[in-house]
Amino acid sequence: MKRTHSVGAILHGHRPPKFRDRNVFATLLFGIFCVVVFEMFFLFFVVSKRDQKEHHHHLSTTTQTTRRRGGNRRELPFALTSAHAGASNTNEMVCIPSIERDAKPCEPAVRMQRFDTVVAAVKPTCANKLALISLRQYVNPRRIIVVTTEKRFCEKFKTAADGIECFHEDEFVDGVTKERTANAIEKFTKKKESKNFMGRSLSGWYLQQFIKLSAYKTKKLNPPLSKQYLVWDSDMILLRPMKLFDSKGRAVRAIGGNVVPSYKRTYERLMSGSTSGRKKDDEEIDNSVHYADDGTSFVAHQMIFDADVAEEMLSAFAQKSSRSSRSRRRRSSSSSSSSSHREEEEGGNDDDDDDDEEDDDDNEDSRLPSWGESIIREAYKEPENAHIGFSEYESYASFVSARHPELVKSLTLKNWARNPFFAGSLGVVVTKFVREDGLCCPTSKVLKPARWRNLAYVGFEIGHAEETCGIKSPKHSDGYGW
């Protein structure tokens, strides 16, 4: 069989025989470099000059005040650009979310919706500020609920747009805290948490997923959280109105997410033995992970959750915890009986049980709810994959597909991108070198090409380039680019 080699492998030095000639390999690198330089030149010079002309033309013919939609929402800062994607009139001016100093106000694009949106954010950044502005502009939910790591951050988050409520992560859902999550990790690993993932501790990474899944349980909101609520990742920036429900009232699901095998294995371990739900063709209960028709996952960094479905799924996870507890008791009882019998024969007695599992009667004040402990237990059965051990989106999508498929409708094409450019985090890092403040913050020059690709939203994950961007530097402890 002829062996193929990826460009990524070549760039990392794993050169196949045909690239062992240094001249050929150097030519390849130079070609790639030229493509990247050309793309940067086009985005930051050609696009910039054209947009300046369009911007000045529009300001000369348009007043600052526009008709508002969605109640009493105040106008928000946006950059102006020509409507390249999907507009019948190429001279029509549309708005792209912006935090730049010369940004002008625009009217909300949609009427106020009846559902709420839940966003988990580590700290205020230019990216999540832009995400909140775009949510208000293009989704316009009843409320945007921000859950963050420190109370002091809430004052900044509330200034991003109207209708934002903010809470500390340890106070939003009773019993769901970072300390309890860390305790669960220590309980099942027998050691203190030591790893970080994408700029935050693993306990924080799991906690934000727990908060999204259990947000409907909060007692902090008045009125209570809407039955159907939008979960939105804080670094995803909307570029246009997005259809979240179809004409039949079904939640519309985005596709195109990465397939992560450890997500699949954890979910299927959590659901193993569950007897509720629909049967597959072979008359077995469908407890498997579901993917989109094109083979991608539903981990699209946003999703509509239904409170009743989320409660049903977490109850199934809690039942897994109960089954595990009963199994441990049986093993412990069997082990104790055998040990006692041996002790009697040997004339000795030892009160210490060599049991690797914690007693289920430990301090309730320091424990997660049983469903949370189940997730940690099953994810940490593969400690080497614990940093990618569970996905709230993949789990919910699989559960609702197997048990309530009538509630959802999946798209057939991917309508989003995890990064502004095709070259991974390049679109994030490059902004550091073109902005006057030297920060990795999204600019209209970066977002406009994503809109021209007809994307509904795009990610700007500063945490994935934390070393280059310096987001964890002490000077940014109160916020990054906000």
Side-chain angles (χ1 to χ4, degrees):
M1 180 181 294
K2 184 178 180 181
R3 185 178 180 183
T4 59
H5 299 272
S6 67
V7 174
I10 294 170
L11 292 178
H12 284 83
H14 307 298
R15 291 178 286 175
K18 64 179 179 180
F19 284 111
R20 285 175 183 165
D21 185 285
R22 293 185 178 180
N23 293 332
V24 175
F25 187 62
T27 302
L28 174 64
L29 288 179
F30 180 73
I32 294 174
F33 173 77
C34 290
V35 170
V36 172
V37 170
F38 175 78
E39 184 178 12
M40 295 301 99
F41 175 81
F42 177 79
L43 291 177
F44 293 101
F45 292 97
V46 178
V47 172
S48 176
K49 294 296 183 182
R50 182 181 60 196
D51 289 340
Q52 287 178 11
K53 293 180 181 179
E54 292 172 348
H55 180 71
H56 291 305
H57 172 73
H58 182 76
L59 290 181
S60 65
T61 58
T62 307
T63 61
Q64 295 292 324
T65 304
T66 57
R67 180 177 56 84
R68 299 180 184 179
R69 297 180 186 176
N72 296 320
R73 300 297 187 200
R74 61 183 171 87
E75 292 174 336
L76 300 169
F78 283 77
L80 299 169
T81 184
S82 58
H84 284 259
S88 57
N89 180 6
T90 57
N91 293 322
E92 178 187 356
M93 305 301 292
V94 297
C95 294
I96 289 181
S98 176
I99 54 173
E100 296 169 32
R101 284 178 292 182
D102 62 346
K104 303 301 178 182
C106 270
E107 61 174 321
V110 296
R111 297 185 182 279
M112 190 189 304
Q113 306 300 304
R114 297 181 179 180
F115 58 84
D116 297 318
T117 297
V118 176
V119 178
V122 178
K123 68 179 180 182
T125 71
C126 47
N128 56 42
K129 180 179 184 179
L130 203 49
L132 294 174
I133 291 174
S134 69
L135 276 170
R136 177 55 65 210
Q137 178 73 11
Y138 290 131
V139 174
N140 206 9
R142 181 178 64 168
R143 291 174 297 191
I144 300 175
I145 314 300
V146 177
V147 184
T148 188
T149 56
E150 296 187 39
K151 284 184 178 180
R152 63 193 177 98
F153 294 153
C154 282
E155 292 306 313
K156 284 189 175 181
F157 281 121
K158 290 177 182 179
T159 65
D162 285 351
I164 293 179
E165 298 183 24
C166 184
F167 301 90
H168 185 271
E169 61 185 5
D170 286 343
E171 300 175 353
F172 189 59
V173 179
D174 291 346
V176 180
T177 68
K178 186 173 182 179
E179 181 181 8
R180 294 187 184 204
T181 305
N183 288 342
I185 292 174
E186 183 179 353
K187 173 179 178 178
F188 297 114
T189 62
K190 302 302 182 184
K191 57 184 178 182
K192 292 286 186 180
E193 177 188 8
S194 59
K195 290 186 178 181
N196 287 280
F197 182 60
M198 300 304 179
R200 71 189 308 172
S201 64
L202 282 185
S203 57
W205 186 71
Y206 280 97
L207 174 61
Q208 56 91 16
Q209 297 189 68
F210 295 166
I211 288 171
K212 295 171 187 175
L213 285 173
S214 63
Y216 66 91
K217 295 177 179 285
T218 185
K219 301 175 183 176
K220 297 291 185 179
L221 299 176
N222 186 21
L225 189 71
S226 56
K227 180 179 180 295
Q228 291 175 307
Y229 58 98
L230 172 64
V231 173
W232 192 269
D233 279 8
S234 64
D235 46 19
M236 294 288 138
I237 300 167
L238 276 154
L239 303 173
R240 65 184 74 248
M242 188 172 68
K243 190 174 183 180
L244 295 170
F245 295 93
D246 70 1
S247 59
K248 298 180 180 179
R250 297 176 295 183
V252 175
R253 293 191 301 192
I255 65 172
N258 293 333
V259 173
V260 181
S262 51
Y263 291 167
K264 176 181 186 294
R265 292 192 293 268
T266 297
Y267 175 77
E268 292 181 352
R269 284 196 296 266
L270 283 164
M271 295 302 298
S272 175
S274 177
T275 57
S276 64
R278 298 171 182 265
K279 292 185 177 181
K280 297 191 292 187
D281 293 339
D282 56 5
E283 296 302 311
E284 294 180 358
I285 298 296
D286 187 359
N287 290 325
S288 60
V289 161
H290 284 239
Y291 295 116
D293 290 342
D294 66 351
T296 62
S297 78
F298 297 108
V299 184
H301 304 274
Q302 60 83 16
M303 188 174 289
I304 293 287
F305 284 5
D306 184 287
D308 292 343
V309 177
E311 171 65 20
E312 185 181 345
M313 184 179 75
L314 296 186
S315 295
F317 292 172
Q319 291 170 11
K320 174 67 174 180
S321 180
S322 298
R323 291 193 297 273
S324 298
S325 297
R326 289 195 297 269
S327 177
R328 290 199 301 274
R329 290 192 188 101
R330 286 194 296 270
R331 291 198 304 269
S332 178
S333 176
S334 176
S335 176
S336 297
S337 299
S338 299
S339 177
S340 297
H341 182 67
R342 288 195 301 269
E343 296 288 350
E344 290 175 2
E345 290 181 343
E346 296 172 4
N349 187 23
D350 187 355
D351 294 332
D352 294 329
D353 288 332
D354 184 17
D355 188 1
D356 289 338
E357 300 291 347
E358 295 288 337
D359 194 323
D360 287 326
D361 296 327
D362 56 3
N363 189 354
E364 290 289 336
D365 292 336
S366 64
R367 293 180 54 186
L368 283 172
S370 54
W371 56 264
E373 288 208 338
S374 284
I375 292 172
I376 296 295
R377 177 192 297 112
E378 299 306 322
Y380 272 82
K381 285 183 177 178
E382 300 179 38
E384 69 280 5
N385 292 321
H387 62 292
I388 47 172
F390 176 77
S391 168
E392 75 280 40
Y393 294 124
E394 183 154 305
S395 297
Y396 180 88
S398 298
F399 191 89
V400 74
S401 292
R403 286 158 172 76
H404 303 283
E406 72 282 358
L407 298 180
V408 291
K409 171 66 175 178
S410 300
L411 295 177
T412 56
L413 295 174
K414 183 177 180 178
N415 66 342
W416 62 279
R418 190 165 180 174
N419 298 286
F421 300 156
F422 296 102
S425 297
L426 177 63
V428 174
V429 173
V430 75
T431 57
K432 175 182 176 69
F433 302 102
V434 298
R435 288 176 56 96
E436 294 180 1
D437 56 13
L439 298 179
C440 298
C441 288
T443 67
S444 59
K445 299 181 186 70
V446 171
L447 296 178
K448 288 171 186 175
R451 184 183 177 92
W452 296 340
R453 290 159 57 191
N454 210 31
L455 300 178
Y457 61 99
V458 66
F460 199 88
E461 299 174 317
I462 304 174
H464 289 204
E466 60 178 84
E467 293 186 3
T468 303
C469 297
I471 190 172
K472 297 184 73 174
S473 170
K475 66 181 180 181
H476 300 306
S477 60
D478 294 330
Y480 184 89
W482 189 297

